Structures are given as C-alpha cells and as structure tokens.
Amino acid sequence: MRAELNLRNRGPVSVFFEVLWSLSGEHTATVTHPLPAAFSDLLPHFLVEPDDVYIVKNKPVTLTCRSTPATQIYFKCNGEWVHQDDHLIERTVDPATGLPVMQVKIDISRQQVEKIFGLEDYWCQCVAWSTTGTQKSQKAYVRIAYLRKNFEEEPLGKEVALDQEVLLRCHPPEGVPTAEVEWQKNEELIDPKADPNFFITVDHNLIIKQARLADTGNYTCVAKNIVARRKSSSAAVIVYVNGGWSTWATWSACSAICGRGWQKRSRSCTNPAPLNGGTACEGQSVQTSACTATCPVDGGWSEWSKWSACGTDCTMWRSRECTQPAPGTGGKACQGLDLQSLNCTSEQCPQTVSGAEDVALYVGIVAVALCLTLLLVVLVLVYRRKKAGLDADVADSSILTTGFQPMSIKPTKPENSHLLTIQPDLTTTTTSYQGTLRSRHDMAQKFSMSNGPLLEPLPNGSQTLHNGKLPGEPGDFVSRLSSQSYFKTLPRDNVNTSYGTFNFLGGRLTLPNTGISLLIPPEAIPRGKIYEIYLTVQRKEDLRLPLAGCQTLLSPVVSCGPPGVVLTRPVIISMDHCSDACPENWAIRLKKQSYEGSWEDVLLLGEELVSEPYYCQLEAETCRVFTEQLGRFALVGESLSMAAAKRLKLLLFAPAYCSTLEYSIRVYCTDDTQDLIKEVMQMEAQLGGRLIDEPHVLLFKDSYHNLRLSIHDLPQAHWRSKLLTGYQEIPFYHIWSGSQRSLHCTFTLERLSVSTCELSCTLCVWQVEGEGQSFSLDFNISKVTASALSTHSPAGTPALAGPSAFQIPYLIRQKICSSLDAPCPNGADWRLLAQRLKLDRHMSFFASKASPTSVILDLWEAQHFHSGNLNQLAAIMAEIGKQEAMIFLVSDGEC
C-alpha cells in the first residue's frame, strides 16, 4: 500500500527511471526535484555540452554537462546508460533568471575505452529531462592519445651548389591526435616568417629556395602532440662553392736584360675560392711567354777634331762627340772630356796690334755685321712667303706645340718589341715626319689656338695656321673650347680627357680605367696631314640626353674630335654598355650630337646599312663603334618587354676609420660601366671610405618597380640600426633613366660599445615584386684596408702614336692585307679570316670597304690591345694557308 502511494505521489519521469532501474536489476532509491509551477512548461537547454577528449597514458578524463531547467541529467555512453552512482551532480540557481541549473560530471577510464577499442570510437552523450520533455547533447568522443616512435620518412643529407634549391622530406610518425611538425637547424627553430628563404609545405617538407653559405648545417624534423615529442635523425646540408679564376695579373718584367727571355703572369682560384668541397678551377694558373729585351748601347767617342788656330790668349782647342755609337736603351754615356785645350808655342801666338791697326780691325768687323744683317732680313722675307703656301696643309694649328720632337727621343716599345723591327718606309710622302708623337694630356702647358671661331670646320675640313704663330694663352684652351655651342659641356679637368697628335701612321687614345678608347687605324688620316685629336667622357650632370618612354642610357657619353677633320677610313670607339645579354628584349640605337646641339639617331643595331658612315658591334659588355666622322656619341636602349634588364653594379663602402659609436655603410647603385665605377671610387677616396665587399652585379628590369635595400641579422647584443623604417628605396626612374649621378643609400648603425669592432650582417637588395639578392658582410671596422677595384682595362699611357699603338707591325699588316683582300676561289681570303676570328656576322660590312682585311685587323686591334696574342693570329694565318704568317716569327737579326 505504501509503495503504491509512493508511485502515486511521484511524477511520470521518476516512475519511468524506477522502472528502468528495477528492470536492470538495480534497486537504488531515486530522489526527484519537481520544477516550480512557473517553469513546468519549459524544455531544458544545455549550457555546457561534453567535448571530445583524449586519454593521455592512464589518466581518466572528465565529461561535463550542464542544463537549465532540468529535473534529471544522465550520461549515455556507446548506447548504454551510465549508472547513477557514477554521476557527480551539482544543483544551483541562475541568479539572473531564477531558473534551476543542474550540472553532471562523469569520469571515463582507459579501461572503459579499451573494452570496445577497434570496434568503433567510444562516445558519450548526456540527456536532460524536465516536466515538459527531454533534450540530448552532442556526442563527445573519447580517444586514447599516442604517438609512435619511428618516422615514416626522415630527411636525408645533401650537398648542393650555391643558390640551388634544396628539398628535405619528412613524414611524421602515426599518432592521435595527428602530430604537428616543425624544423630545426643546428637545434634552433626555423621560422619561415623571419627568414623567407625557408618554406614548409603542407605535407611537412622543408624547402630552401636559394642555398646560401649560411644555410650549411644539420637539419632535424620534429613531430609532437599532447602525448610525446619525436625527433628525426639529423640531415647534414653542405652548401659548396665551385672555384673561379681571378683576372690575370700583369706580365712580369722580361727575364733577360738583353736579348730573348721569358715573362710570366699568374692568376689565382679565388673568384670565388672553392669552398665546402666545391670543384677547383680548371686550367693553368701561370702563363709564360717569350720576350725580347732591347740591348743597351753604350756610347762611344768619335775621333778628335783638328786643333783650332792659336787664339789671342795663346790657346788652341779640339773637340769630339759621343756619337760612335750614341748611347741608347739605357746604355752608359761616354766617359771623359769632349773638349781639350793646349797652350800655343811662342812662334804660333799672335802679337799685339798697334792702335792704328785696331781701328781698321773694328771698322771691318762692323761692315761684316751690317752685311750679315741685310742677308738675314732677305732670308726671313723669302721664308715667310714660302711658309704662307703651306698653311692649308696643316689640319690643326696646335701641332706646332707638340707635333715634332728631337730624333733622340724614341717611342716606348710595346711588349712584342721584337715584332716591330721592320720599320715602315716613311720616305714615300712629301712631308717627312721625324721623331715621336707624344700625348697632349697636359693641357695647361701644351695648348695654343689660332684666332677666330674655335674648331669650326673649314670648307676643306682643315684648320689654318697664319704666319706660324699661335695667339692666345695656352691655359685658356678648355674654357674657350667650351664656349662654343657644340663644346659647352666639355670637361674642365684632365682626369677624363686624353689628347694626342697623329699622322697617317695612326695611333690610340685611352681614358685609363674607364674602358673607353679611340683607335685611329693606319691610313685613316690622309698622308701629309697631321691632326691633334682629343677623347673625353662627359659627366652626367654636365649633359642630359632627351629620353622618352622606355628609353634608357646604356653607355657613357663619349666625345672625340675636333669635328670636321677628314678621315679616309673609319676609326673605332670602344666603350662599355650595361644592357643584359638578351638583344631580343631591346631596340638599341646609336645617338650622335649635331653641331647645333640636337641629338640624332644615326644607327639602329641589327638594321645597319653598310653605306652609312657608322657601324656598331655589340659584345657582352663592350660596344665598338666604327665611324668616319668624329663627334659626341652615346648608346641608348628602348626596352621591348618587361624582361629587358640593365646591369647594375652595387658597391659597398664604409669609413676607413671610426672613433665614434655611429658607423655608416654606403651602398652605391650605378650602371655597370667602368667610368661610373671609377667616379664612385674617386669620390669615396676623397670621403675617406673603403670598399668592404666585392662589387656585385644586379639585373634591374623594366618593371616600373623601385629598388629596395635593407640590412638584417645584426648582432643585437652589440649593434642596432638607427633606420626608422624596415628598408630604403631608390625610385625606378632614377635608376632607369641613367642620368642620376652616384645613387646610393646610407645605413647608419650604432655600436653599443666603442670596443666593439666586429660587424656581421646581411644586406638584401631586391626590386619590388621581383627577384633579389642578399650578401653576407663580416669585417672588422678598426682594420684599415686599402680599397682597390680591378677594372677590365689596365691603366697605361693615355696616348700612343705610330707603331707603338698597335700589336701588328705596319709592314706585316700591309702584307697581310695585300694577300687576303683579293678573292680566292677556295675561300682562303679575308672571309676565312673573319670566320676564324668569329666576326663572320659582319661580312657585309667588311665587304663594303676597299680593304676588308684592314677593317678586320682594326677590329682585332681594338679588342686585343692589352691581351692580343700575335702567335695565335699567326696560327690562324697558317691555317688559312698564307705564307705571310711566317713573318711573325722572323728574328731580329733576320729583320
């Protein structure tokens, strides 16, 4: 009866659970908490639902469920109800709403999960009741966490070349939850965000985009989850550098003081040096070559002259000269007296004349002096009349200042002096040129100009000299030259200008360490003419070319003159250019400034006309311009696509000495031409700077993006950067126009202690949205080193005239031309010579000239002035089958 009463008083839910537990064999009393009448019509909703959990090792996990309003909450795991005694129940009231809140927790052990492991995942769900109905929570999965020990794939060590891409593979061990992967280098974590050169793929592989020397190290793949952390075996990555040859050193002095000997030159495998197992340089490190040293000639006395008549002082004289032979080539001068005196005997000594006889003697002397004076006046008048007729044949009035030198001064012989023993016959011209042709480099002491318009061309292309005089101050030459409209931008210093006086034998002008030269071939100047010619390079701030669109200046602006001189064959101007090696991306034009000052296109590369007076050969870094007219020239390129690129040279300088905490690094960005590099070096020498790293080449594309520079990896314990932004930027147009001078950025650093001397950092240079480069710097700021920058053309004599300016002797050149100019049925003529010298793409240009062979030899001379090998040229002549090649091997005695 009591049990029936209890069933009546309980709600239907309580009755349901009592029946449920009784059926399951459990007889535990259940206490219910009926809801107040105000909340009896609400369904329960969950405030907290159970989440997925992992069992780590043997530690049980707790599932929590909270609901309001609820009368009962029970868990159900894998379809079975959890016993009431396993529930931990907590009842509260929500202070905001007044609703009852019920929270239930249960613990799940590893043994419970393992009972059904392998069949399905273990899950639990809670069910909440109210007087209105029930609600079920989401399922919470309970899994046993683990991480196996062995990696499915481990990274393997590699040896890679510098700048090569590196791929290290890693497949982590199986685990629950899935393991996360990270990479370590030398036990330090790799962060791809801090170093963009590293990239971790979605399948956990590590990619090094461009291998750097600093990337050499041991790489480890690390896998971890909530259970454990596993490391793979280390993979050693070695970045190696293949060796490269440095430039050849200059030839040593000839081993023989007199006669035939040897000379050698060397190079080293240091550009770069092989590193980390990289291959060594192939080839010889030392070259030897035969040389002939001119023997010194000691002077010898001639015979004594006869004794003179006895003088009034009873003394007679005799003399001799040091001319048999005269001293030469460093030989010793004659030792002894060149004049001897002897007292006369009393019979030979004249007696003193009386007073009357003295008067007659003086009258006779005066009469003879008057006669000689009249004769001298007549001779001067006759000479001036004859001289007036020769004025028109002098091409430049300034030749009188340096045109002729005494015969005793001999020109400096080139290295292959034994090849120049056959001297040209200079007696075939009406005007005999004697002595050397010397440089006009010293303007202030050498120049004099005639009156009238300066260097304005005459109708016959010559300059006239009046009465053999040169009015005007020599030091005013440059200022008066620059006053003319065409020459307003000529430089006013000697550094960038060379001068020389030349005749039909030709010669060469060079601007040392700029890569700029002018070759005047033999017979280019008409016989009987003598020209004074200059060569100069214009500074960018003195002259601006009109550039439009995508045009850019690719070369220095070079001037040679004077304009208007008559040339019978083209001269060759050599100058650097900074375009990349892809001519299909460019339309390159040769521009020339007219006498009025405007710039004109005189040549489009690839569309040259042999009938025009201009022609151009474009090499990898040098441009050779053939021209029959002197003037001002420049090479201008117009990009045909965004792939067109200019070569830039990056030069890094820092103070040679620093006594303060601040330290500045200057990074110059200039076109890759030697004249601009020389200008930066001279400017830094004045600022007291030193070169702290080898110059680097950067390709700058026509993409309209600026150039950015930044410094990274500073040792924070010793240095800090005072730059407020992360990088510095040079505008695109400033670089592309080529008209800005000495573009550079300055990075100001500060050391935390004056005792800090070691500085190591990384300089990054890149074009926005383009490729870039990074350079590692490591040097001692207190160690003063001499900054030196090698250039392609060694410094030498600015002006060379006559045979000393050429590798090939004049007579040998004439024989080669006469042998190869005539067409040969089997092709053994100038065409085969062009093929052997790899100049066959200019066949049509050579064929348009009266002597194709001479033009080919001119180009060879321009290319090989400092590195020409006459033996190699002789071998080519022998291959062609011309016996004239044997003349190269003729000894001095046979000549």
Side-chain angles (χ1 to χ4, degrees):
M1 189 66 144
R2 185 176 294 173
E4 183 180 354
L5 183 61
N6 288 338
L7 288 175
R8 259 181 216 167
N9 293 334
R10 294 175 184 225
V13 176
S14 300
V15 173
F16 168 76
F17 273 100
E18 288 191 6
V19 173
L20 181 63
W21 254 260
S22 65
L23 291 176
S24 63
E26 301 291 340
H27 303 282
T28 304
T30 303
V31 180
T32 61
H33 296 271
L35 293 173
F39 307 119
S40 61
D41 58 344
L42 296 177
L43 283 173
H45 70 276
F46 290 97
L47 301 177
V48 176
E49 297 185 72
D51 293 324
D52 296 343
V53 291
Y54 295 93
I55 296 178
V56 179
K57 298 182 179 180
N58 293 320
K59 295 180 181 180
V61 294
T62 301
L63 299 180
T64 303
C65 188
R66 185 187 302 166
S67 177
T68 184
T71 58
Q72 295 290 341
I73 299 178
Y74 290 99
F75 274 92
K76 191 176 186 180
C77 293
N78 281 74
E80 296 182 1
W81 293 101
V82 178
H83 196 279
Q84 181 182 8
D85 293 343
D86 296 333
H87 291 73
L88 179 63
I89 301 172
E90 181 183 350
R91 299 177 185 272
T92 58
V93 175
D94 188 346
T97 61
L99 291 175
V101 177
M102 187 175 183
Q103 177 175 288
V104 177
K105 295 182 180 180
I106 63 171
D107 291 335
I108 307 296
S109 67
R110 184 186 182 99
Q111 291 75 15
Q112 290 176 264
V113 177
E114 287 179 341
K115 286 181 181 179
I116 62 167
F117 187 79
L119 300 177
E120 60 180 353
D121 289 337
Y122 190 93
W123 60 269
C124 291
Q125 183 182 39
C126 63
V127 182
W129 283 267
S130 70
T131 56
T132 306
T134 63
Q135 289 286 0
K136 295 182 179 180
S137 71
Q138 65 181 10
K139 288 183 178 181
Y141 289 91
V142 182
R143 299 180 177 91
I144 298 176
Y146 68 94
L147 182 63
R148 301 196 185 281
K149 292 184 178 181
N150 297 325
F151 281 73
E152 296 186 10
E153 184 178 7
E154 291 188 301
L156 301 176
K158 294 184 177 182
E159 292 185 359
V160 296
L162 191 67
D163 295 331
Q164 181 180 336
E165 183 180 271
V166 183
L167 173 63
L168 298 177
R169 297 184 179 275
C170 176
H171 198 248
E174 179 186 352
V176 174
T178 303
E180 298 178 357
V181 174
E182 61 186 21
W183 284 86
Q184 292 181 349
K185 173 194 169 187
N186 298 334
E187 302 298 329
E188 292 184 2
L189 181 65
I190 294 176
D191 184 5
K193 293 182 179 179
D195 190 348
N197 198 41
F198 293 105
F199 178 71
I200 301 177
T201 64
V202 293
D203 51 354
H204 312 304
N205 297 329
L206 176 66
I207 295 178
I208 304 176
K209 299 178 184 178
Q210 283 187 322
R212 305 162 296 191
L213 289 176
D215 294 330
T216 299
N218 295 319
Y219 290 81
T220 308
C221 180
V222 180
K224 62 180 180 179
N225 64 5
I226 59 176
V227 179
R229 187 170 184 265
R230 314 287 188 201
K231 281 188 176 184
S232 70
S233 57
S234 295
V237 174
I238 299 176
V239 181
Y240 63 85
V241 178
N242 294 326
W245 287 115
S246 65
T247 56
W248 285 103
T250 56
W251 287 100
S252 65
C254 193
S255 60
I257 301 177
C258 175
R260 190 175 296 275
W262 295 93
Q263 57 182 172
K264 66 179 182 179
R265 63 176 181 175
S266 61
R267 59 180 177 175
S268 59
C269 189
T270 57
N271 188 28
L275 194 63
N276 295 338
T279 59
C281 302
E282 296 181 0
Q284 298 179 346
S285 61
V286 178
Q287 279 186 346
T288 58
S289 176
C291 60
T292 301
T294 305
C295 298
V297 178
D298 295 336
W301 288 113
S302 64
E303 295 293 333
W304 285 103
S305 65
K306 294 182 179 180
W307 287 103
S308 65
C310 192
T312 57
D313 57 350
C314 295
T315 304
M316 55 184 182
W317 303 85
R318 69 172 181 176
S319 63
R320 58 179 178 175
E321 296 180 349
C322 188
T323 57
Q324 292 187 359
T329 325
K332 297 179 181 179
C334 299
Q335 302 295 322
L337 299 175
D338 59 350
L339 190 65
Q340 277 187 348
S341 62
L342 187 65
N343 291 331
C344 307
T345 61
S346 57
E347 293 81 5
Q348 295 173 328
C349 185
Q351 302 297 321
T352 303
V353 184
S354 62
E357 292 174 341
D358 288 343
V359 174
L361 177 62
Y362 295 149
V363 171
I365 292 174
V366 171
V368 172
L370 291 175
C371 293
L372 291 176
T373 302
L374 292 175
L375 180 60
L376 181 60
V377 171
V378 172
L379 291 176
V380 169
L381 292 176
V382 173
Y383 172 79
R384 293 183 63 178
R385 289 194 177 186
K386 290 184 178 182
K387 186 60 180 177
L390 297 176
D391 286 344
D393 290 333
V394 181
D396 188 349
S397 61
S398 58
I399 62 171
L400 291 185
T401 60
T402 57
F404 300 94
Q405 304 299 327
M407 283 293 291
S408 60
I409 302 178
K410 296 185 178 181
T412 304
K413 291 189 177 182
E415 294 179 358
N416 298 314
S417 59
H418 62 287
L419 302 174
L420 303 179
T421 54
I422 301 180
Q423 297 297 330
D425 184 7
L426 306 183
T427 60
T428 56
T429 60
T430 57
T431 302
S432 178
Y433 180 78
Q434 300 180 0
T436 60
L437 299 171
R438 56 178 174 140
S439 167
R440 296 290 295 157
H441 198 64
D442 189 356
M443 295 181 297
Q445 299 178 3
K446 306 296 183 182
F447 276 104
S448 296
M449 300 301 299
S450 60
N451 292 328
L454 184 62
L455 294 180
E456 292 182 358
L458 296 176
N460 61 354
S462 302
Q463 303 294 322
T464 302
L465 178 68
H466 297 287
N467 298 329
K469 295 183 179 180
L470 301 172
E473 293 294 330
D476 296 336
F477 172 75
V478 174
S479 60
R480 288 187 285 114
L481 188 66
S482 60
S483 65
Q484 301 299 315
S485 60
Y486 184 85
F487 300 97
K488 287 181 179 178
T489 57
L490 275 180
R492 297 176 178 269
D493 57 9
N494 299 348
V495 178
N496 298 308
T497 308
S498 291
Y499 299 86
T501 308
F502 305 94
N503 65 356
F504 76 97
L505 290 177
R508 185 189 305 262
L509 287 175
T510 304
L511 300 180
N513 297 326
T514 64
I516 300 172
S517 64
L518 173 66
L519 180 73
I520 307 168
E523 307 294 344
I525 297 176
R527 290 177 178 259
K529 302 288 185 180
I530 299 177
Y531 296 158
E532 183 169 273
I533 296 177
Y534 65 84
L535 175 68
T536 182
V537 59
Q538 306 293 145
R539 291 186 180 272
K540 291 183 177 180
E541 67 271 21
D542 295 335
L543 187 69
R544 291 185 181 270
L545 270 74
L547 302 177
C550 301
Q551 290 184 340
T552 179
L553 184 62
L554 297 178
S555 73
V557 180
V558 177
S559 298
C560 56
V565 298
V566 178
L567 298 175
T568 58
R569 53 183 302 179
V571 298
I572 302 177
I573 303 173
S574 299
M575 55 185 175
D576 288 353
H577 70 86
C578 60
S579 67
D580 60 3
C582 301
E584 63 273 8
N585 296 331
W586 291 94
I588 300 179
R589 292 176 171 84
L590 179 67
K591 287 183 175 287
K592 181 178 184 291
Q593 190 177 28
S594 67
Y595 188 76
E596 291 77 16
S598 60
W599 287 89
E600 301 172 349
D601 293 341
V602 295
L603 180 66
L604 175 61
L605 265 68
E607 299 181 9
E608 299 93 343
L609 298 177
V610 296
S611 58
E612 295 294 328
Y614 308 100
Y615 193 81
C616 183
Q617 174 185 318
L618 195 68
E619 301 169 6
E621 298 180 357
T622 308
C623 172
R624 316 281 181 186
V625 177
F626 293 79
T627 175
E628 297 177 9
Q629 299 176 6
L630 302 183
R632 183 171 294 150
F633 298 91
L635 208 62
V636 173
E638 181 177 2
S639 61
L640 302 180
S641 69
M642 295 181 67
K646 292 177 64 174
R647 291 192 328 275
L648 303 182
K649 187 76 82 174
L650 299 176
L651 304 170
L652 280 66
F653 288 89
Y657 176 76
C658 179
S659 59
T660 63
L661 295 178
E662 279 195 359
Y663 193 74
S664 298
I665 297 178
R666 293 182 291 276
V667 183
Y668 289 84
C669 176
T670 182
D671 291 349
D672 188 12
T673 56
Q674 295 181 56
D675 65 302
L676 295 181
I677 297 173
K678 175 184 176 182
E679 182 178 333
V680 172
M681 295 294 294
Q682 291 174 342
M683 183 170 59
E684 276 295 326
Q686 296 176 356
L687 295 176
R690 61 162 170 160
L691 194 65
I692 61 175
D693 196 22
E694 288 296 323
H696 299 277
V697 176
L698 177 70
L699 293 180
F700 187 77
K701 294 186 177 181
D702 183 17
S703 61
Y704 297 100
H705 293 303
N706 299 337
L707 189 70
R708 288 183 178 177
L709 303 94
S710 60
I711 281 188
H712 305 276
D713 302 334
L714 279 171
Q716 300 297 327
H718 304 287
W719 292 87
R720 70 181 183 91
S721 173
K722 301 189 71 175
L723 191 65
L724 299 179
T725 58
Y727 58 85
Q728 298 195 60
E729 200 167 76
I730 300 178
F732 167 82
Y733 182 74
H734 287 181
I735 298 176
W736 192 256
S737 66
S739 59
Q740 297 289 331
R741 180 189 178 193
S742 304
L743 290 171
H744 72 279
C745 291
T746 300
F747 293 92
T748 302
L749 310 178
E750 185 178 26
R751 48 181 174 169
L752 304 183
S753 172
V754 180
S755 61
T756 301
C757 296
E758 295 294 334
L759 173 60
S760 61
C761 59
T762 302
L763 173 68
C764 296
V765 183
W766 74 100
Q767 198 171 1
V768 181
E769 298 184 11
E771 299 180 356
Q773 297 184 29
S774 59
F775 317 113
S776 297
L777 304 179
D778 191 354
F779 61 98
N780 190 312
I781 67 173
S782 65
K783 184 178 181 181
V784 179
T785 57
S787 61
L789 184 63
S790 61
T791 55
H792 297 337
S793 58
T797 305
L800 293 173
S804 63
F806 302 98
Q807 294 275 347
I808 306 173
Y810 182 76
L811 287 185
I812 295 176
R813 177 192 179 93
Q814 287 183 324
K815 290 181 179 295
I816 295 176
C817 293
S818 62
S819 175
L820 297 182
D821 279 344
C824 189
N826 60 358
D829 52 22
W830 63 269
R831 292 169 294 181
L832 188 56
L833 177 63
Q835 292 176 2
R836 291 288 191 272
L837 295 177
K838 299 180 181 181
L839 301 175
D840 45 329
R841 66 180 181 273
H842 307 299
M843 286 291 194
S844 57
F845 172 68
F846 297 147
S848 66
K849 301 304 176 184
S851 175
T853 309
S854 63
V855 181
I856 295 174
L857 296 181
D858 293 344
L859 183 54
W860 185 89
E861 290 277 6
Q863 292 174 324
H864 300 91
F865 177 55
H866 295 289
S867 60
N869 190 335
L870 289 178
N871 292 330
Q872 180 183 4
L873 188 60
I876 293 175
M877 292 294 297
E879 290 178 9
I880 296 176
K882 297 296 181 179
Q883 298 301 321
E884 288 77 4
M886 299 304 295
I887 198 168
F888 283 99
L889 306 178
V890 175
S891 65
D892 294 345
E894 292 170 334
C895 289

